[in-house]
Every structure is written in C-alpha cells, then in structure tokens.
Amino acid sequence: MGSKKLENFLEENLGDLKSRGLYNVIDPLQGANGPIIKIAGKELVNLSSNNYLGLATNDKLINTCIEATRKYGVGAGAVRTINGTLDIHVELEEKLAAFKHTESAIVFQSGFNCNMGAIAAVMDKNDAILSDELNHASIIDGCRLSRAKIIPYKHSDMDDLKRTAKEAKESGRYNKIMVITDGVFSMDGDVAKLPEIVEIAENFDLITYVDDAHGSGVLGKGAGTVKHFGLSDKIDFQIGTLSKAIGVVGGYVAGRKDLIDWLKVRARPFLFSTSLTPGAAAACIEAIHILTESTVLHDKLWENGNYLKKGLKSLGFDIGESETPITPCIIGDETKTQEFSKRLNQEGVYAKSIVFPTVPRGTGRVRNMPSAAHTKEMLDNALAAYGKVGKDMGIIE
Ligand code: PMP
C-alpha cells in the first residue's frame, strides 16, 4: 500500500523518535483553553497557554464573533487580493495601525504566515539578515525563504550584534541589511534590548524587524515592546500575532504606509492563502477595543505573574531572568524536567516541559504562563503542587 520509500522513511524516523521517548504526544482539551482545562476527564490549572489576557473565552469577543459569522458567513471565500477582503479586515488593519502607532498595517492568517511573507517580500539573495540566535522558528523559516545570508548573533548580545553589523556593512557584499529579533523571548520571558538595537541600526543603516508576538498586550501598557521603549517611529517592521494576548488567530505587520502597500502586492501568504475568517476578524477588533479602553486585564496579568514568580522563588526554585509574566522554572536535566512536568500533571497542574533542542542542553525547564484569568486560588493550588513535587523529587528543600 503506497510508496515503499515513504513507509521505510517513516518507520525509521518515527520509530527512532518514539523509541527515544521524544515523540510529542498531543493531549486534546475537552473544552475551552481557559485558566482551567480538562484533559482526559481531569481538570487542571493551565499554565501553558498564550491566552495571556484570557480573551479567548471573553463573552464580548464570542458574541462579536457569532454576530459577524451570521452577517458574513464562516469563511471569507477567497484570498485577500481576489475578493476575500471584507470591510472588517480593513477595519481591523486600521485599528491595528492605531494600536501600534504606525501609518498602516496588514493582516495575515497567522503570525507564522506573517514571518513567511514579510521577510521574503523585502529581502533577497543580495541581502543579509542579522538574527538573534534565539529567534522563533517562523522567523528562521521566513529568513531562509528570502535566500538572504543569515548571520546569527549571540542572544541579546549587543557587542556581537555590533560586530556582525560592522562586518556585514564593511564587506560591501550586501545590498540591504536587516536586524531581526523577538520583542519578548518566550522561553525565558526576557525582553529584547530595543534601544541598543535601534542605535546600532542607525549607525549601520539596518532595517529593523521586531516580532512582538509575546510582548503585545503584555508590555507598553498593552501596546507592546516597541511602545514600551517609546520607539514606535524607529522600528520598520512591527510584527504581532492575534493568537496570544488578543486571544483569537491571525498575524500582522504594522509600519509605514509604503511598506504595507508593498507587502500587499508581494507577501505570498497574503496573495495566495484565503483571508482570516470573518468571525476571527471581528473578534480581534473587539479585543483591540478592550485593550485600548482599559488596562484592567493587562494589570491583572502582571499581578498574577508577579504573584506566581514570588511564590516559586520563595519555594526555592530557579526562575531564571524573566522580565515578563512568562516564568520558567529551570530544572536542568532533560529527563528530570519531563518527569517534573508529568508529576505536576498528576497533582492537577498543566505546565509543559521544554528541553533540548528547544532550549540549550542542561537548561530544561517547566514553563509557566499565568494569565489575567487565573484566580489567586488557582495559582495557590499550582504553587502547592510545585512545592510537593519539588520536595518529592529533591529539587527544593
Ligand atoms: N512569532 C513568535 C515569536 C511566536 O512565539 C509565535 C507563536 N509561537 C509566532 C510568531 C507564530 O504565531 P502564530 O501562532 O500566530 O502563528
């Protein structure tokens, strides 16, 4: 049945992963991805979702989504450039530009698609991209797609960025040079050094590209990392996702009008993949409205993040250098980290382990992402589980 070559390939590679215990088994949720989730009939405190503000289950967003679905249908019916651009897509783009303090914005079907489209629309084989070594997979793939020379620099190491920028510039080999970074790094919760990056970019005439998937809704009173540093007019590409703090799905680039006009004719996922569903577009508009009206959810997220951090620290865990509510609990050894996460699950907490190759060897961690929707009681239950498992496994005293 089917290709023998394929069968052999799968047997060898899948078999290898499974035998080494590295095959990722996906646990389906029996209901919404809220602060409490249900898996295999068991309720768990959820510390693994990017639904930072709890908007994925917000009543206003749900009602807006239903209303838009009734009005426009479940699908947009075409790609944006044929006749899949609905008035609510345009409204969403206008709202995002205002939210990000830029002239214009363009919406994609996901943050991943956004990076696949935006980088290659501007960079080509005559160019170079200076890329933080811990940048997200979608940035790496987007850079590869552009065929530009990719020059990684050490994570948030500004001397290394300066060195690579100088070498690239002085080599005279490249037409354009771009520096590209996550705004907030999701494995450690640290924030990119944007003021220094902008200074280096100005010295070496670099195009600046910030993927703020984890900073929007979280930093800058909700407006993101670029706003947090007051650099809205200094960053060429502000990338965001609509799937994390915004709680829905989709991605966007915010920037100058001529850049966005160019992306609308050159970014391939925009040109060749059907637009965001009407329900999603409408829900995103509502989410931005909520975020710009009030900082209540943003403030609650930080309160919960700080509460969890303080609790884990006083239990004696190593919580790294996070500057945001993302809180890693660094265990170290890969097997021990996986066991720790499994034991937390038995104690009613869903917090995924992250190990090599996603993070460097020996820095395995259980990553916690509290949200504005968690109650103190939920967080106390999680901390009690951490205390019990930590002591049982000899990680804390
Ligand atoms: N960029 C970064 C930095 C991310 O962390 C993610 C999501 N994991 C993405 C892009 C992709 O976003 P989306 O889930 O909207 O495709």
Side-chain angles (χ1 to χ4, degrees), residues 111-121 137-139 141-142 145 209 268-269:
F112 205 107
N113 259 359
C114 203
N115 284 329
M116 298 307 278
I119 303 168
S138 57
I139 297 178
D141 287 2
L145 204 57
Y209 188 112
R268 292 169 71 81

Side-chain angles (χ1 to χ4, degrees), residues 116-358:
M116 298 307 278
I119 303 168
V122 169
M123 304 303 279
D124 64 34
K125 63 178 179 1
N126 301 311
D127 300 327
I129 303 174
L130 315 177
S131 175
D132 188 292
E133 64 182 348
L134 294 190
N135 277 344
H136 187 256
S138 57
I139 297 178
I140 296 169
D141 287 2
C143 291
R144 285 181 183 152
L145 204 57
S146 75
R147 296 190 296 150
K149 170 82 177 163
I150 302 165
I151 306 172
Y153 63 90
K154 289 190 195 127
H155 176 53
S156 276
D157 182 331
M158 293 301 106
D159 288 336
D160 205 38
L161 174 60
K162 213 178 288 171
R163 180 188 63 77
T164 50
K166 190 167 185 289
E167 276 176 21
K169 184 85 184 162
E170 287 175 358
S171 75
R173 239 179 281 152
Y174 306 110
N175 181 8
K176 303 186 281 311
I177 308 173
M178 173 184 273
V179 55
I180 186 159
T181 182
D182 277 26
V184 171
F185 291 87
S186 64
M187 295 304 148
D188 290 287
D190 54 325
V191 179
K193 295 174 180 158
L194 292 188
E196 288 95 325
I197 291 175
V198 164
E199 197 186 321
I200 295 168
E202 284 177 347
N203 283 342
F204 294 98
D205 191 21
L206 312 178
I207 299 168
T208 46
Y209 188 112
V210 177
D211 178 344
D212 207 24
H214 295 273
S216 295
V218 177
L219 286 170
K221 289 278 171 208
T225 311
V226 174
K227 182 74 182 10
H228 168 75
F229 287 115
L231 294 169
S232 302
D233 57 341
K234 303 272 186 188
I235 301 294
D236 296 307
F237 289 75
Q238 287 196 54
I239 311 303
T241 172
L242 299 163
S243 64
K244 301 189 193 296
I246 300 290
V248 193
V249 72
Y252 58 90
V253 185
R256 49 194 285 173
K257 186 179 177 306
D258 50 4
L259 169 65
I260 304 306
D261 288 348
W262 176 248
L263 296 180
K264 283 182 179 165
V265 292
R266 277 295 180 278
R268 292 169 71 81
F270 183 86
L271 296 173
F272 300 113
S273 179
T274 298
S275 9
L276 206 61
T277 65
C284 290
I285 293 171
E286 185 60 40
I288 293 162
H289 181 68
I290 292 173
L291 248 86
T292 41
E293 280 283 282
S294 148
T295 61
V296 168
L297 293 176
H298 160 275
D299 298 347
K300 186 75 188 156
L301 167 68
W302 280 87
E303 188 188 316
N304 282 346
N306 290 335
Y307 187 77
L308 188 73
K309 267 196 183 131
K310 204 166 146 209
L312 287 171
K313 210 170 172 180
S314 62
L315 281 169
F317 286 104
D318 174 3
I319 60 163
E321 304 294 329
S322 169
E323 300 166 78
T324 60
I326 297 174
T327 308
C329 193
I330 300 165
I331 309 292
D333 176 75
E334 278 73 29
T335 317
K336 208 168 176 182
T337 308
Q338 280 164 333
E339 175 63 18
F340 192 89
S341 165
K342 211 186 286 171
R343 296 279 299 275
L344 280 177
N345 199 303
Q346 287 161 1
E347 297 298 325
V349 177
Y350 192 86
K352 276 272 198 192
S353 60
I354 299 179
V355 295
F356 178 81
T358 309

